[in-house]
Amino acid sequence: MQPRYSQPVNRNRGPIMNAERATRFGRPAALAFVAALAVSGCGGSDTPIGGTLSGLGDGLSVVLQNNNTDDLTLNANGAFTFRTAVDDGATYSVTVLTQPVGQTCNVSNGTGTVNTKTGEPSDIQVTCSANASVGGTLTGLLAGRSITLANGVQRVTVAQNGSFAFAGVLPAGSTYEVTIATQPAGQTCSVVNGTGTVVANVMATVAVTCG
């Protein structure tokens, strides 16, 4: 009867095999993970559209659109960005939907085609200037009421709270005095900062409060 010889056992073989197996079978997952990181690092193809607003008067607002949608209301000068990004290769067109009271805003560099290789458009400029010399803000007016304001021979009737303006640009250095020509029914309104001197390209802001 032949003697049986036991095969030598490498006690470290188990862990080594486990490590080799983990490396061998884990490699596809690792490669997939690295590929995912590479893709995510490249970023998406959408590009935000934005620019800079200047010249907007205090207490006023302007509404912009991109491609006749994505309304964006701005209440202060400075940088702005539309909420909806635009795909690479697609066009954009920034326009003014609603002008601020007493001002006209114009857009420059507002159209183009998105190219992710050159970066997002950043040279869009929206510039506002006064088309009225005297205006202001009305507060406290009840629904269904109206008030008529006067500046010399000029008249403006306001039927809701918010901004208002007297039409036309007055010569710089001329004076203005805003008064109430007709009070709203059942209410008494008062004017604050109603007098002053016209400054070129700036709309004077008067406050009218009703109680």
Side-chain angles (χ1 to χ4, degrees), residues 78-149:
F80 65 85
T81 302
F82 286 93
R83 289 179 292 272
T84 304
V86 176
D87 292 336
D88 185 27
T91 59
Y92 60 89
S93 177
V94 178
T95 55
V96 177
L97 175 64
T98 305
Q99 296 281 2
V101 174
Q103 288 194 296
T104 300
C105 300
N106 296 305
V107 181
S108 58
N109 302 319
T111 60
T113 301
V114 171
N115 184 345
T116 55
K117 293 181 180 180
T118 59
E120 62 186 73
S122 58
D123 60 346
I124 300 173
Q125 301 288 329
V126 180
T127 306
C128 303
S129 59
N131 58 25
S133 295
V134 181
T137 304
L138 171 66
T139 59
L141 184 69
L142 298 178
R145 312 291 172 85
S146 65
I147 180 175
T148 300
L149 304 175

Side-chain angles (χ1 to χ4, degrees), residues 101-103 131-136 155-158 163-168 203-204:
V101 174
Q103 288 194 296
N131 58 25
S133 295
V134 181
R155 296 288 188 274
V156 59
T157 299
V158 186
S163 299
F164 65 86
F166 291 90
M203 186 179 71

Side-chain angles (χ1 to χ4, degrees), residues 56-60 101-103 132-138 163-166 176 178 191-199 202-208:
L56 184 68
D58 293 340
L60 301 180
V101 174
Q103 288 194 296
S133 295
V134 181
T137 304
L138 171 66
S163 299
F164 65 86
F166 291 90
Y176 62 88
V178 176
V191 179
V192 179
N193 298 324
T195 60
T197 302
V198 173
V199 177
V202 177
M203 186 179 71
T205 53
V206 176
V208 180

